Amino acid sequence: MESLNANAWMALFESMPWLWYLVTLLVGLTVGSFLNVVILRLPRMLEQQWRSQCRELLEIDDGEAMDETVSLSRPRSRCPECGHAISALENIPLLSYLFLRGRCRECGTRISIQYPLVELVTGILSVLVAYHFGPSWQAVAALVLTWALVALSVIDLRTTLLPDDITLPLLWLGILLAIPALFVDLQASVLGAVFGYLALWLVYHAFRLLTGKEGMGYGDFKLLALLGAWLGWQSLPLVILLSSFVGAVVGVSMILFRGHERGVPIPFGPYLAAAGWITLLWGGALNQAYLHFAGLA
């Protein structure tokens, strides 16, 4: 019965495309609001876990008070300045920010522009996915990947972390989706995961041997493995090329125009995520355009 209901919804969306786009937009905006919670709290949750594990490993019990335990659902969202609890009406994606003019209702502290931007970007990307794939299970899966990539990108920009709590489940999901060949077949998915991890692992160690410095983190390896599992090993060269090109342009621009110090690392995860998302939607067309340009097709 559930399958029939799902198919009925798909048929309804096919007959009314505007409804498909509207629902996707609203869901995307709502998910974007939740992603803000993940972006803010998941690194804090991981830090609390690491501290607890270190204290347990070192057998430290000095009676020091631990910070309030944080989860994705608790404590309730509140203003970091005055502690005002955020009500449901103050948490409507985009609209609440505009209505409150970007400030806390209680103390007037400015609300970070990150919150509406994440909601807006997630909504727009969701509609683009819906338009590209149409009402289909491919679209549903691509939306899940899109939302995960948004969260990973912002977390990496804020903390230079790419949490395993997101990358590893999505990697396995990509392999599972290859069993019915939703995007690629199983062989291409498994090889994509393996080659994706090894590609950056080899670059990392080669760079470290040549310079004595670490050029990237292990989270980047896992993210490329995730993208390989979803997109197949054939898409890895395009992902690496796109991410490297954009990363190089942004990095040089930050050094030249914003005074970014050369020794300060720049997170690579957002560029991998953006390249993977572009490849998910337009990888085939980009590959064909390159082959035609090179005279190989």
Side-chain angles (χ1 to χ4, degrees):
M1 182 62 70
E2 293 181 358
S3 176
L4 290 176
N5 289 337
N7 291 333
W9 276 106
M10 292 296 183
L12 176 63
F13 289 141
E14 287 178 357
S15 64
M16 304 174 66
W18 65 268
L19 180 61
W20 168 241
Y21 302 137
L22 177 61
V23 169
T24 305
L25 175 62
L26 294 178
V27 172
L29 291 173
T30 304
V31 171
S33 180
F34 174 71
L35 292 184
N36 277 315
V37 177
V38 175
I39 291 164
L40 179 65
R41 297 192 179 192
L42 184 55
R44 293 172 57 189
M45 292 165 55
L46 294 175
E47 183 180 353
Q48 286 186 339
Q49 291 176 15
W50 296 334
R51 286 183 177 180
S52 177
Q53 291 168 0
C54 289
R55 293 173 67 87
E56 182 179 350
L57 180 64
L58 298 174
E59 299 182 350
I60 297 176
D61 187 13
D62 53 10
E64 180 182 348
M66 298 294 290
D67 295 336
E68 181 182 16
T69 301
V70 176
S71 69
L72 294 181
S73 59
R74 296 183 181 180
R76 182 176 171 181
S77 296
R78 58 193 179 212
C79 173
E81 188 68 25
C82 68
H84 166 66
I86 307 299
S87 67
L89 290 177
E90 296 172 285
N91 208 26
I92 302 173
L94 291 183
L95 296 181
S96 293
Y97 184 87
L98 295 175
F99 179 76
L100 295 170
R101 297 181 180 179
R103 295 185 179 275
C104 171
R105 189 183 67 179
E106 192 69 20
C107 67
T109 299
R110 184 170 295 279
I111 301 171
S112 172
I113 192 64
Q114 171 195 306
Y115 298 108
L117 278 180
V118 169
E119 293 166 354
L120 180 62
V121 168
T122 305
I124 292 173
L125 295 183
S126 298
V127 172
L128 289 174
V129 168
Y131 175 79
H132 181 82
F133 290 104
S136 64
W137 292 114
Q138 275 190 322
V140 174
L143 285 171
V144 173
L145 178 60
T146 299
W147 299 334
L149 293 178
V150 170
L152 287 169
S153 297
V154 183
I155 290 175
D156 199 22
L157 286 172
R158 287 172 53 95
T159 67
T160 67
L161 293 174
L162 290 168
D164 289 350
D165 299 58
I166 299 177
T167 54
L168 296 185
L170 265 291
L171 188 156
W172 287 110
L173 178 58
I175 293 176
L176 288 175
L177 292 176
I179 295 175
L182 193 64
F183 295 103
V184 295
D185 60 53
L186 186 58
Q187 181 179 5
S189 176
V190 173
L191 291 177
V194 173
F195 292 159
Y197 188 91
L198 288 179
L200 292 188
W201 183 87
L202 291 172
V203 170
Y204 165 86
H205 284 286
F207 184 83
R208 185 172 62 84
L209 289 173
L210 291 173
T211 66
K213 300 178 181 179
E214 296 182 355
M216 61 185 67
Y218 276 66
D220 297 315
F221 313 165
K222 299 169 189 175
L223 177 54
L224 188 56
L226 180 163
L227 295 173
W230 280 74
L231 306 174
W233 66 268
Q234 301 92 333
S235 298
L236 290 176
L238 179 60
V239 173
I240 294 173
L241 180 63
L242 286 174
S243 59
S244 300
F245 175 75
V246 176
V249 171
V250 173
V252 171
S253 300
M254 290 179 66
I255 292 173
L256 293 177
F257 302 112
R258 298 187 59 183
H260 189 89
E261 296 184 11
R262 295 175 184 269
V264 178
I266 299 174
F268 190 50
Y271 309 122
L272 280 174
W277 188 82
I278 291 171
T279 303
L280 173 69
L281 268 64
W282 302 294
L286 289 173
N287 279 326
Q288 287 298 320
Y290 170 76
L291 292 175
H292 182 75
F293 177 79
L296 300 175

